[in-house]
Amino acid sequence: MNNLDDILKSRRDTRHFTQDAVPDEVLKKALQAGHWAPSVGLTDATKYYTIKSAVLKKAIKNLFLDYDEKAIALTDNQQQKRDYKALKLEAIEEAPLGLVICYDRSVLNNFTIGTVGSSEAIKFSSVCAAQNIWLSLTEQGYSMGWVSILNYYQFKQLLGLPENIEPLGYFCVGKPATDYDEQPMLQQLQWKQKQENPVVEEITIFDQSSAETTTFKVKNEVNNTLFAKEVQHKIDQKTKPTGSLGVLELLAKQIGVVFQTLEPKIMLPHIVVFAADHGIANHGVSAYPQDVTRQMVANFLDGGAAINVFCKQHSIHLSIVDAGVNYDFPTNADLISAKIGKGTQSFLQGPAMSLSELQLCYSKGSKIIAGIAETGSNCVGFGEMGIGNTATASILMSIILALPVEDCVGRGTGIDDEKLIQKINILNRCVDNYNGAADLDSKLAYFGGFEIMQMVGGMLQAKEQNMLILVDGFIGSVAFLIAVKKNPFILKNAIFCHSSAEQGHQKILDYLNVRSVLQLDLRLGEGTGCAIAFPIIQSAVAFLNDMASFESAGVNTKEI
């Protein structure tokens, strides 16, 4: 087969193979074709691993079967479920050769031309290599099938791949056993028809719409000491020794003062989890690969994460926000789409985001919370998810509080001592490389994360709506620290739900001169601390509203 058009039309995602071995010269020629593919910045980031072991193939097949069950559960109806089960979607054990095509994200440790707009360019280069390999195999009478229905974290662990090596998937290679009636298999089986021609549309109108901006009002609030004394008097008249309910009394007073009522009620409590990816994660500052952000968002949507469990337990409404995950979720996914980009850039080499993107974060976060307030909710907790975001938060804390990076950095997802030292060294390099403007927003744009900045916008909007603001752990407290710099009065509305195991968290609480409700050594994020502390907050409201007073109970205060 020599005609290029014929080769292109004949390329198939093959699922049926003969038992014929793949000759070394065929594979060598195909991999050379992959090497000739475009490589962003000439990084040569694409890496290849071959697999012939039957034991290893079986283990990979089991990973496929596990995720295939999840795929079956996502089908739209019973007929589609039956049709899906009838499809042959892999040939992991049947194909004579397995090929794992990967990209090495450690090339991003140094400046690379072509990755400024998106670090995903190195992944795209590897996809080009995969296509070249496919076309070369087709020309030689062989073929390949791409298996992507896998848990990539488990896949990497199974293969023992280094932390910086990210697989595109598992590829089955061999001689095709069928021509599929000269059409894609899914089309042959009438799963879906491929369009005859490409979709092309000319853009002729220049879009002059400007980026969204949000201005937060900072009202010079009067300290209503008279009303605060009324709330305190009501608390002191309850049938108990003065101060005997400890932190509950402080919470009850705070909530009464925020809502300016002696009978406060928490209405429609809500927790919002903002998720995004971070370019700094490409430099090995986390125990987990970046793709775990996407996987955890899927887990949130499936109801399987800790925050889902606790919100269900305490009847708290939960919303998930895609603030900038490096993945395109289905448009019908039950999440709020507020994507700024597919993750920030690595601030090792330059700014994580632009100033206009920072303003867009504020705007989107603000609109999300404004929408929640419109439902009648007066209490909102903030959670986050993003591999690498403890590194981002640590630098932001270091800059705002003028502390050494070493005093702010923690273990995040659970890195070991060696990784912690590496994390500190990388973040110190990042700080040393900064030569931008001295104003706060310039630094926030340079070192920020999309989900952190959307939380800032959301918290400031919650203050404008006079909502109770439930602050979670380290990353949430860094977001709140930024919000305080923009509106110091926000502190009156905030309840700090727990003291994190991250070393920097207690330093932030001390700086703000606040105490947390719980001390449980949590470091999970997701807003879990907000959800766990919520029943205690409810208890504070309950005793203020429902507990008898000395007068109503007929108790002689002199005997207490």
Side-chain angles (χ1 to χ4, degrees), residues 242-274:
T242 302
S244 59
L245 284 177
V247 174
L248 288 182
E249 298 191 22
L250 300 177
L251 289 172
K253 182 178 180 180
Q254 178 186 5
I255 294 168
V257 171
V258 166
F259 293 145
Q260 288 291 288
T261 176
L262 295 175
E263 296 181 350
K265 292 182 180 179
I266 294 178
M267 307 294 291
L268 303 175
H270 208 115
I271 290 178
V272 186
V273 179
F274 294 81

Side-chain angles (χ1 to χ4, degrees), residues 152-188:
Y152 280 78
Y153 181 62
Q154 292 176 317
F155 187 46
K156 282 183 63 172
Q157 284 188 314
L158 181 66
L159 300 181
L161 296 180
E163 190 267 340
N164 55 292
I165 299 295
E166 302 292 349
L168 293 179
Y170 180 89
F171 295 82
C172 305
V173 182
K175 185 177 282 292
T178 175
D179 62 7
Y180 300 112
D181 294 335
E182 296 295 337
Q183 58 184 311
M185 185 192 75
L186 293 180
Q187 183 167 298
Q188 179 200 31

Side-chain angles (χ1 to χ4, degrees), residues 250-312:
L250 300 177
L251 289 172
K253 182 178 180 180
Q254 178 186 5
I255 294 168
V257 171
V258 166
F259 293 145
Q260 288 291 288
T261 176
L262 295 175
E263 296 181 350
K265 292 182 180 179
I266 294 178
M267 307 294 291
L268 303 175
H270 208 115
I271 290 178
V272 186
V273 179
F274 294 81
D277 277 306
H278 296 250
I280 194 65
N282 289 314
H283 306 296
V285 296
S286 172
Y288 295 93
Q290 189 180 80
D291 192 54
V292 171
T293 304
R294 186 267 306 172
Q295 293 174 13
M296 280 305 301
V297 171
N299 193 23
F300 297 150
L301 298 178
D302 288 342
I307 189 60
N308 300 98
V309 173
F310 298 139
C311 282
K312 183 178 179 181

Side-chain angles (χ1 to χ4, degrees), residues 93-359:
E93 293 186 282
E94 297 94 323
L97 178 67
L99 177 65
V100 184
I101 303 176
C102 306
Y103 59 97
D104 180 359
R105 55 184 171 80
S106 70
V107 301
L108 295 170
N109 288 344
N110 300 303
F111 172 70
T112 301
I113 293 174
T115 62
V116 177
S118 172
S119 61
E120 281 196 289
I122 58 168
K123 181 192 297 185
F124 302 154
S125 296
S126 296
V127 173
C128 290
Q131 180 73 340
N132 272 18
I133 293 168
W134 227 318
L135 294 173
S136 175
L137 288 169
T138 301
E139 186 270 336
Q140 297 181 80
Y142 290 80
S143 190
M144 192 160 73
W146 191 336
V147 181
S148 58
I149 304 175
L150 297 163
N151 180 306
Y152 280 78
Y153 181 62
Q154 292 176 317
F155 187 46
K156 282 183 63 172
Q157 284 188 314
L158 181 66
L159 300 181
L161 296 180
E163 190 267 340
N164 55 292
I165 299 295
E166 302 292 349
L168 293 179
Y170 180 89
F171 295 82
C172 305
V173 182
K175 185 177 282 292
T178 175
D179 62 7
Y180 300 112
D181 294 335
E182 296 295 337
Q183 58 184 311
M185 185 192 75
L186 293 180
Q187 183 167 298
Q188 179 200 31
L189 299 177
Q190 299 183 0
W191 175 266
K192 193 170 185 179
Q193 295 297 306
K194 187 175 179 67
Q195 295 181 162
E196 284 290 325
N197 300 303
V199 178
V200 181
E201 183 177 350
E202 182 181 2
I203 299 175
T204 58
I205 300 174
F206 176 65
D207 186 356
Q208 300 185 35
S209 61
S210 57
E212 300 177 56
T213 59
T214 297
T215 303
F216 296 100
K217 302 169 187 174
V218 180
K219 300 175 184 176
N220 190 12
E221 299 181 9
V222 177
N223 188 6
N224 193 339
T225 55
L226 183 61
F227 186 77
K229 287 180 179 178
E230 289 184 33
V231 181
Q232 187 64 57
H233 177 74
K234 182 179 180 181
I235 292 171
D236 291 343
Q237 292 306 303
K238 297 297 182 180
T239 50
K240 60 173 182 59
T242 302
S244 59
L245 284 177
V247 174
L248 288 182
E249 298 191 22
L250 300 177
L251 289 172
K253 182 178 180 180
Q254 178 186 5
I255 294 168
V257 171
V258 166
F259 293 145
Q260 288 291 288
T261 176
L262 295 175
E263 296 181 350
K265 292 182 180 179
I266 294 178
M267 307 294 291
L268 303 175
H270 208 115
I271 290 178
V272 186
V273 179
F274 294 81
D277 277 306
H278 296 250
I280 194 65
N282 289 314
H283 306 296
V285 296
S286 172
Y288 295 93
Q290 189 180 80
D291 192 54
V292 171
T293 304
R294 186 267 306 172
Q295 293 174 13
M296 280 305 301
V297 171
N299 193 23
F300 297 150
L301 298 178
D302 288 342
I307 189 60
N308 300 98
V309 173
F310 298 139
C311 282
K312 183 178 179 181
Q313 179 186 13
H314 302 306
S315 300
I316 303 170
H317 190 83
L318 176 65
S319 292
I320 310 301
V321 177
D322 175 9
V325 180
N326 188 13
Y327 181 75
D328 291 316
F329 293 98
T331 55
N332 62 350
D334 187 21
L335 54 67
I336 299 171
S337 180
K339 193 188 290 289
I340 307 297
K342 290 186 175 180
T344 56
Q345 297 298 304
S346 168
F347 48 70
L348 179 61
Q349 290 111 4
M353 67 182 86
S354 65
L355 281 167
S356 62
E357 287 175 324
L358 176 67
Q359 288 297 324

